[in-house]
Amino acid sequence: MDALRGGARVNNLSHFAVGVTVASCFPGAVRAAVAGNPAYMLLGGVCGVLPNILDRSSLSAPREIDVSVVLDPSRPDAATLADGFAFAVWRAVAAGTPVRVALCSVPANRQTWQRYTIRLDVRGCAVRAHLGPVVDAAGAAVRSPLHGTRGKAGASLPRGVRLGCAATTTVGVGAGAHFLVAPEEDGGARIRAVHPHRGCFHRWLPAGAVAVMLGFGVDLMAGAIAGLVTLTHALADGYVPAWVARRIAVREGAGSQRTDAPAGPAWPVVLCLWACGVVTWANLARALPGGAGMTLMQTLALAVGVPLGAIRLARYPWERRVRLRLPRTVRALRRWRD
Amino acid sequence: MNVLSGGLVAVCAALAGAVLGCVPGVHAYHVLGLATVLMQAGVGVGEGVAPWLLTTCGLASGVAAFSVTAGLPAALLASPEESAAFAVYPARCLVREGRGPEAAAAMAAGALMAAGGVGGVMVLAGARLLPVVTRVLRPHQYWLVAAVTLFVLLMVCFAPTVDGGRASVRRRPILWAMGAGLVTFGLAGMLGCLLIFGPPYSAPSRLAGLVPAFVGLYGAPWLLRMLTGGVPAVPPQRQSGLPVSRRVLHGALAGVVGGGVAALLSGLSAGVGGWLASYATRTRDDAEVLAAQGAARMTFYLSAVVLLLGGGMPWLHRGTTVGAAWPPHAAWGYLPMMGGVASLLGAVVAAALLKRFAEVFVRVGSSMRAPAVPVLAGGCLLATAGVVGGWWGCAVAVVAAGIGLMPVCFGASRAACLAVVLVPATCDLAGWGRTMTAWFGVGG
């Protein structure tokens, strides 16, 4: 859940692979590809990355940043962070217009970054900044902050600030974190996290419309492929589960997001590519004259069960330290049985 | 007798492959060709020894040893062959920190791990897996390679990341990067088509013929920046053993997958496979990228040897000089197993020699003054291109250097240069080879 909450999204290669996999589920598309017409397969791949491409290449992502919070890597100061963020919120409230604020990552040198954390304390009407260690590209701590730097600081926020994002944001490697501070009618403001590269095409309608038009421009099957792939983009992106996780986290008041890695951890990508590879393989094998394909259950077991089992095994020593809590229903059943 | 002869041939081939890996400009397919010629010459030496056994052991061992040591010229002299092109940039970064031998050692460690993994899989399950894999994938080669080409085009041209992924928010750099990516992709693709469909020089294989282009695209930009003062002077280099860490293991695993995918899809190179693997697993650490590149190269060439001898790789069949001493059909079941064992042997021999070779490279480099280092590297680059293609090779390298500078100058992704191998591969698999040749007007 933490990974989803922190943006466990997959990258463009995975989106492309998901698109090709969806296309390979259409036997007509596989037959056409074998016959030398890869248009359906390529269309699936293109539609898979279409929202990302449209947002990046058309520059539709809202790029106007009103306040950029930048640290001097040679003399990092937590007060700069807290004051900068608080300034953005106060400005939004005073001017009555939305303010986009960017917490920029701080490259200490070519391969290390100064990590820092911003915590929005809504009840205490304050923003607190905390300097972490200098981390490498993998997020591992390399050294502590420079001697003599101010590691902790706070600044006051106006009353009535509400959170539409995680309360704690950690910025390390990568693009940093972007927020939109929108003033509200009661004099407060709502702070929500926004993706640095996502714009209007990541909302459902424009990307879907473009993809379906692109598909139906070829024929009916291409249109169906394009529509399905656009739907799966959001699912593969982890956007829907991440949204659910974020809502839960915000309601509980203990949300946190990390932008330590530029696009999150590697395992969702590996998982996604493995599943895509297995499903595509099964579809291609099924299309052979001999029909040497796997059954649906075998495919699902190999695509989902094997990687989940591997992740479970890989994470077992870490999870052993966590106290195991059974679901409430199971505990109630056990009490009833006893 | 068979086992003894095979082992002896494997050790000799490993020594030869390890030495050849240190020579800038020598490509794996040169090693394949040389090994085949030697094998054919030595077929009559061992009475009662199966020739295909000698061929398999020699090729697998020689190529494995070559893959371990071939990182040295790429890392320390920035003189890449096509499978090491993507290793140049991270290796130069480490060289600037005085960790050049560590860069070569990371590539070697990745290659060694891949040899262990791939060799193990070949020994245990290769004979059962390979026929199934080739049977399923062979009808789909065209669209799979086309999909990879399209993906690279989309990523480098339409979703550029300016300023090292630090979320550049300015409009103009992104537009420049998109334009530069598109132009680079187009020019590199044209250059690749020219070299594949109407090469002005002969080469042992099609991919080997691309070496001058790779030298220009990936090696020369660094050299030109160094000569013009864009890159600081090279500090003294510290020696390093084989780095074995979790990150190197991670990179090696990714590289094995990437190299395997590249080997199964005709036309893709080991560098492309390693790049895709690094991209997929979000690899950012230099040592991890280098390990992935080393592992991808080892996996690619070992798989290529087995598929080549087993008759599963038409791309190689059409180009290489390996045409004799094919194993009989009945021996295909043993071929992956013998190849796996021989490759393990070759990789271990080369790894034992790696530190000595690195010392020689560092000693030569440290005995020279600062301006002599880029001059030596430039000489190596020209020699690399010259060995493959003579004067034409040097000319191709110069043209490719101009193309390779565009991504560096405009902040586009250097992956755009991959078009040099991807575009001709796609055109060839699509059956457009003759048309392309006619367009360029240089072939028959």
Side-chain angles (χ1 to χ4, degrees):
Chain A
M1 199 62 121
D2 278 342
L4 286 177
R5 200 182 298 147
R9 290 175 291 271
V10 297
N11 60 6
N12 285 322
L13 182 59
S14 312
H15 284 307
F16 193 88
V18 167
V20 171
T21 304
V22 169
S24 77
C25 293
F26 288 77
V30 178
R31 279 196 299 272
V34 173
N37 174 22
Y40 298 110
M41 296 295 190
L42 299 185
L43 181 77
V46 170
C47 290
V49 290
L50 198 64
N52 294 5
I53 285 176
L54 289 176
D55 268 343
R56 294 295 290 273
S57 61
S58 69
L59 307 175
S60 72
R63 290 168 189 284
E64 291 77 23
I65 292 172
D66 302 299
V67 177
S68 285
V69 183
V70 185
L71 277 187
D72 179 2
S74 59
R75 281 188 307 171
D77 186 356
T80 310
L81 296 169
D83 292 343
F85 198 92
F87 168 74
V89 179
W90 279 106
R91 185 175 146 183
V93 170
T97 54
V99 170
R100 189 178 166 106
V101 54
L103 296 176
C104 300
S105 56
V106 188
N109 61 31
R110 198 183 60 80
Q111 287 234 309
T112 57
W113 285 261
Q114 171 68 58
R115 179 189 281 172
Y116 61 85
T117 303
I118 286 273
R119 179 166 176 78
L120 299 168
D121 182 2
V122 179
R123 286 182 189 165
C125 292
V127 52
R128 303 186 200 289
H130 171 65
L131 287 184
V134 175
V135 296
D136 62 6
V142 176
R143 61 175 168 82
S144 2
L146 292 174
H147 184 66
T149 54
R150 192 166 7 159
K152 288 182 183 176
S156 63
L157 292 179
R159 288 191 177 277
V161 169
R162 296 175 190 85
L163 285 185
C165 63
T168 305
T169 300
T170 303
V171 176
V173 185
H178 290 205
F179 296 88
L180 188 70
V181 187
E184 296 202 329
E185 289 179 354
D186 59 355
R190 175 171 287 274
I191 303 172
R192 64 185 178 90
V194 287
H195 195 281
H197 301 307
R198 281 189 183 160
C200 68
F201 285 103
H202 259 89
R203 294 180 198 116
W204 289 80
L205 194 58
V210 171
V212 171
M213 279 195 313
L214 203 65
F216 280 121
V218 182
D219 62 15
L220 196 65
M221 186 167 68
I225 289 173
L228 266 177
V229 170
T230 313
L231 283 177
T232 52
H233 179 98
L235 202 61
D237 220 357
Y239 193 70
V240 173
W243 182 80
V244 172
R246 206 160 45 234
R247 301 305 299 174
I248 295 168
V250 171
R251 199 174 302 152
E252 287 171 354
S256 68
Q257 68 164 353
R258 295 172 73 93
T259 59
D260 277 2
W267 64 262
V269 181
V270 176
L271 199 70
C272 184
L273 286 176
W274 170 266
C276 288
V278 170
V279 175
T280 308
W281 173 271
N283 289 332
L284 298 188
R286 199 173 297 132
L288 279 179
M294 293 183 280
T295 62
L296 185 64
M297 289 308 293
Q298 284 173 331
T299 308
L300 281 178
L302 202 59
V304 182
V306 169
L308 286 182
I311 288 175
R312 177 77 184 169
L313 278 177
R315 295 180 65 176
Y316 178 68
W318 178 80
E319 286 187 343
R320 199 168 44 181
R321 295 182 209 154
V322 179
R323 191 159 54 96
L324 186 67
R325 284 187 66 82
L326 293 169
R328 192 179 296 169
T329 320
V330 178
R331 275 184 280 147
L333 281 173
R334 283 195 173 176
R335 273 201 302 273
W336 176 77
R337 189 193 63 188
D338 295 338
Chain B
M1 186 66 183
N2 271 346
V3 174
L4 260 181
S5 305
L8 194 63
V9 165
V11 171
C12 293
L15 291 172
V19 173
L20 284 174
C22 300
V23 182
V26 173
H27 189 275
Y29 293 124
H30 291 112
V31 181
L32 280 175
L34 183 68
T36 313
V37 171
L38 291 178
M39 293 306 115
Q40 287 168 350
V43 159
V45 175
E47 196 66 35
V49 179
W52 66 267
L53 178 73
L54 296 183
T55 312
T56 308
C57 290
L59 288 184
S61 172
V63 167
F66 174 86
S67 300
V68 171
T69 55
L72 280 169
L76 300 177
L77 294 174
S79 171
E81 36 99 34
E82 52 86 20
S83 66
F86 276 91
V88 171
Y89 180 70
R92 293 320 298 173
C93 293
L94 289 180
V95 166
R96 286 208 299 273
E97 296 168 7
R99 297 160 60 195
E102 187 184 328
M107 290 177 78
L112 204 58
M113 289 177 189
V118 177
V121 170
M122 280 184 180
V123 169
L124 294 175
R128 288 187 62 188
L129 279 181
L130 280 175
V132 178
V133 171
T134 49
R135 179 167 163 255
V136 172
L137 288 187
R138 191 174 285 176
H140 302 280
Q141 296 273 352
Y142 165 44
W143 73 263
L144 285 170
V145 174
V148 173
T149 308
L150 181 66
F151 174 73
V152 172
L153 175 69
L154 290 175
M155 286 308 102
V156 300
C157 300
F158 297 109
T161 305
V162 184
D163 194 19
R166 293 201 183 100
S168 177
V169 290
R170 287 175 296 168
R171 188 175 292 253
R172 183 169 285 180
I174 292 183
L175 290 177
W176 275 112
M178 284 168 60
L182 261 176
V183 173
T184 308
F185 192 91
L187 290 177
M190 283 172 64
L191 182 67
C193 288
L194 179 72
L195 294 179
I196 292 289
F197 297 118
Y201 47 80
S202 61
S205 83
R206 291 175 165 192
L207 279 180
L210 291 178
V211 166
F214 275 101
V215 163
L217 289 170
Y218 290 98
W222 164 81
L223 180 69
L224 291 175
R225 289 182 70 198
M226 193 173 174
L227 285 171
T228 53
V231 174
V234 179
Q237 303 292 311
R238 297 186 297 274
Q239 277 297 342
S240 163
L242 282 180
V244 181
S245 63
R246 193 173 172 178
R247 278 185 212 165
V248 170
L249 182 64
H250 179 260
L253 279 175
V256 166
V257 176
V261 169
L264 290 171
L265 299 182
S266 298
L268 297 193
S269 70
V272 178
W275 176 76
L276 281 175
S278 301
Y279 186 91
T281 53
R282 292 175 168 151
T283 307
R284 288 210 146 208
D285 185 72
D286 283 336
E288 208 171 331
V289 172
L290 290 167
Q293 288 290 325
R297 180 172 52 210
M298 175 68 84
T299 310
F300 179 82
Y301 287 134
L302 285 185
S303 310
V305 165
V306 173
L307 289 170
L308 176 70
L309 295 176
M313 211 170 190
W315 174 266
L316 291 176
H317 270 281
R318 273 177 264 153
T320 50
T321 55
V322 182
W326 296 105
H329 192 274
W332 285 2
Y334 302 102
L335 193 136
M337 194 171 71
M338 299 308 300
V341 173
S343 64
L344 276 176
L345 188 64
V348 170
V349 169
L353 294 171
L354 182 80
K355 198 170 180 183
R356 302 282 172 214
F357 290 157
E359 279 173 6
V360 173
F361 270 84
V362 170
R363 202 175 300 147
V364 170
S366 59
S367 65
M368 302 163 100
R369 291 184 180 179
V373 175
V375 173
L376 172 73
C380 283
L381 290 188
L382 280 179
T384 304
V387 164
V388 176
W391 291 110
W392 273 110
C394 296
V396 167
V398 170
V399 173
I403 300 171
L405 271 176
M406 292 182 66
V408 178
C409 294
F410 295 102
S413 168
R414 276 180 298 273
C417 300
L418 282 178
V420 77
V421 63
L422 290 176
V423 171
T426 309
C427 292
D428 189 55
L429 289 168
W432 300 340
R434 287 180 182 277
T435 314
M436 300 293 292
T437 308
W439 280 359
F440 285 103
V442 286

